[in-house]
Amino acid sequence: MELKKIELFELWVKLREDFETSFGKTIERPAILIRLEEKNGEVGWAESVAGEGPWYSYETWETAWHILNDFIIPRVSEEKEIDVEKFNDIVSNIRGHNMAKAGFEMALWDLKAKVEDKPLWKVLGGVNKNIVSGVSIGIQNTTEELVKKVSMFLDKGYRRIKIKIKPGYDLEPIARLRKEFGQELPLQVDANSAYKLTDIELFKKIDGYNLLMIEQPLHWKDLVDHAELARHIKTPICLDESIEDVNDARKAYQLGSAMIINIKPGRVGGFSEVLKIHDFWYKVANRPVWIGGMLETGIGRGHLVSAATLPGVKYPNDISASEKYFEKDIVEPPWTLNKDGTITAPEKPGIGVEVMEDYIVKNSKRTKTYFINPKK
Ligand code: OSB
Ligand code: MG
């Protein structure tokens, strides 16, 4: 593909409700949006999911902007032709900063799909057009509020409930939800690294509640400790923060650190690595994956929906409808939930939804335009 123009937008989006995890509360989140335009006028969009602070990852919206502006875009701008493979090659010596890389890489995938006039999910090799949707519920002030929220989401049709836990907010909400909704409720918890191996007695108690999985209980670097914990409980461990590339997945497999991986395209640097992790974990290790979220706008959500159509996705995803997150999304139509708790991957090219460009241009806090200037 021959790019003509690259644009970056820093847009802050207000969540309908604050989202509390063991890291803290998010009320408004930055979205670094990337718009690529190629020589015939086709346009690709994506979103970098770096957050408002270095909690989930060391990246923030400012570091993502910095890496894109000072390293990634200058290199891409020197190229007359670019594709996903070449892109991954020219950014390969930038250490880490996966969320910055993923933003650009996924915009290239959307553009590629648009140039080929195909839906992105088909270009990726997706097979399941209706992806199963779950919700991730932040830490609530009272268990009463939690019970109400769970009821409300189940009424809407969501097929799985995930609650965030932290020390002091774990056994009680889990026990309460089991009491209220019974053993059939598909329930899982996400600790976002808030515990240590010395909390093993607590996990043995949690083990009695028939959860689908426990997500990222321990420190993100502790593959060995996760393997030790896995030997003491029967509930499957799912890794999120610990898996940044396919090598981490291979190590987690060899050590026995996890049964399940929550794949987030932003965390792993884009779709090329998503496919590698998916193929290793599902086809080689014969284990399930699902697609996680980072409270994306409708743009990033389109990329998540595409990824969730892959064959190894065997659990409900953290991909909910636009209205769960925002009063008003920045794509048309917004993402909606079908009655059976699925979201349908669109047949239109690319991510398959219209981006509200005027809104983004008017409301961004910072924008920058770059023109391609090939060296040769
Ligand atoms: O750990 O899965 C996580 C949101 C921000 C950062 C980390 C996580 C989450 C979620 C939200 O759980 C998932 C969603 O986008 O609905
Ligand atoms: Mg998580």
Side-chain angles (χ1 to χ4, degrees):
M1 297 180 288
E2 261 182 65
L3 292 184
K4 197 165 70 183
K5 194 164 96 175
I6 301 167
E7 285 166 281
L8 289 187
F9 300 92
E10 176 188 330
L11 181 72
W12 285 76
V13 289
K14 257 211 174 61
L15 296 174
R16 175 171 271 217
E17 272 178 15
D18 49 30
F19 187 77
E20 185 173 346
T21 69
S22 59
F23 303 129
K25 269 187 198 168
T26 301
I27 297 145
E28 204 178 5
R29 64 162 287 260
I32 301 295
L33 304 173
I34 297 110
R35 181 186 187 274
L36 306 179
E37 192 174 326
E38 55 85 74
K39 66 168 196 293
N40 298 317
E42 290 288 0
V43 171
W45 278 95
E47 165 173 1
S48 176
V49 297
E52 74 280 10
W55 334 124
Y56 172 86
S57 130
Y58 59 81
E59 291 185 83
T60 71
W61 88 101
E62 285 279 14
T63 71
W65 186 285
H66 163 53
I67 297 296
L68 283 158
N69 179 68
D70 297 302
F71 299 99
I72 295 178
I73 295 174
R75 291 183 190 185
V76 172
S77 302
E78 290 181 352
E79 302 292 333
K80 188 159 162 41
E81 295 263 352
I82 187 90
D83 57 23
V84 169
E85 220 166 279
K86 191 168 186 180
F87 174 79
N88 284 314
D89 196 41
I90 63 179
V91 301
S92 66
N93 79 335
I94 297 173
R95 184 180 295 189
H97 295 282
N98 284 352
M99 293 173 177
K101 291 173 185 166
F104 203 103
E105 202 247 18
M106 292 193 284
L108 280 172
W109 277 94
D110 182 38
L111 184 61
K112 168 184 160 74
K114 282 177 177 145
V115 168
E116 293 174 9
D117 199 29
K118 289 182 193 146
L120 176 58
W121 63 277
K122 287 189 182 163
V123 175
L124 288 173
V127 292
N128 302 312
K129 188 179 159 63
N130 291 309
I131 66 133
V132 182
S133 202
V135 278
S136 172
I137 304 178
I139 291 165
Q140 303 295 309
N141 289 327
T142 64
T143 24
E144 287 322 301
E145 282 173 63
L146 177 63
V147 167
K148 257 202 220 141
K149 287 240 159 82
V150 171
S151 290
M152 189 261 293
F153 286 123
L154 292 174
D155 286 345
K156 286 180 192 285
Y158 286 104
R159 301 259 288 269
R160 176 273 273 150
I161 300 294
K162 158 171 147 183
I163 64 166
K164 294 287 184 178
I165 57 168
K166 66 175 182 183
Y169 183 93
D170 37 43
L171 271 179
E172 196 215 316
I174 295 168
R176 182 64 199 278
L177 291 182
R178 273 285 171 250
K179 182 157 169 256
E180 203 72 37
F181 300 97
Q183 290 297 314
E184 284 70 50
L185 175 73
L187 180 65
Q188 64 193 58
V189 296
D190 185 358
N192 287 109
S193 302
Y195 297 87
K196 296 198 166 57
L197 200 47
T198 47
D199 296 312
I200 200 147
E201 290 310 316
L202 172 75
F203 287 106
K204 285 183 183 166
K205 287 186 189 135
I206 290 178
D207 210 21
Y209 286 95
N210 191 29
L211 301 179
L212 291 172
M213 65 191 80
I214 301 174
E215 183 175 334
Q216 198 68 42
L218 311 177
H219 193 274
W220 66 281
K221 282 182 174 170
D222 282 346
L223 287 181
V224 171
D225 284 0
H226 279 101
E228 176 67 17
L229 176 60
R231 284 191 280 275
H232 290 90
I233 57 176
K234 58 180 198 303
T235 310
I237 291 178
C238 170
L239 289 177
D240 174 352
E241 285 93 322
S242 290
I243 307 296
E244 296 188 331
D245 57 33
V246 70
N247 266 316
D248 291 334
R250 187 176 52 75
K251 291 169 196 166
Y253 177 65
Q254 285 182 5
L255 290 166
S257 319
M259 272 306 297
I260 306 167
I261 295 179
N262 161 356
I263 306 183
K264 291 182 184 172
R267 190 191 68 225
V268 305
F271 282 141
S272 306
E273 203 67 24
V274 168
L275 295 175
K276 283 187 202 164
I277 295 170
H278 169 274
D279 288 0
F280 172 77
W281 203 254
Y282 176 56
K283 296 180 186 165
V284 180
N286 213 354
R287 290 179 183 185
V289 303
W290 54 279
I291 306 298
M294 293 291 290
L295 312 171
E296 282 86 346
T297 71
I299 296 174
R301 195 158 305 284
H303 292 272
L304 298 180
V305 167
S306 300
T309 65
L310 291 170
V313 172
K314 302 292 188 191
Y315 280 98
N317 304 284
D318 275 353
I319 309 175
S320 313
S322 295
E323 60 142 39
K324 194 237 169 199
Y325 308 92
F326 313 108
E327 296 287 343
K328 206 169 160 359
D329 207 338
I330 57 170
V331 298
E332 268 300 331
W335 295 96
T336 54
L337 191 72
N338 302 320
K339 285 213 170 55
D340 68 350
T342 63
I343 292 177
T344 304
E347 285 300 327
K348 292 195 186 129
I351 58 172
V353 288
E354 222 49 66
V355 173
M356 294 163 64
E357 300 207 358
D358 291 345
Y359 177 87
I360 292 168
V361 169
K362 272 201 204 101
N363 291 281
S364 288
K365 202 166 154 191
R366 174 164 53 157
T367 65
K368 193 163 171 184
T369 303
Y370 311 79
F371 292 95
I372 303 302
N373 190 9
K375 261 208 307 216
K376 23 187 189 330

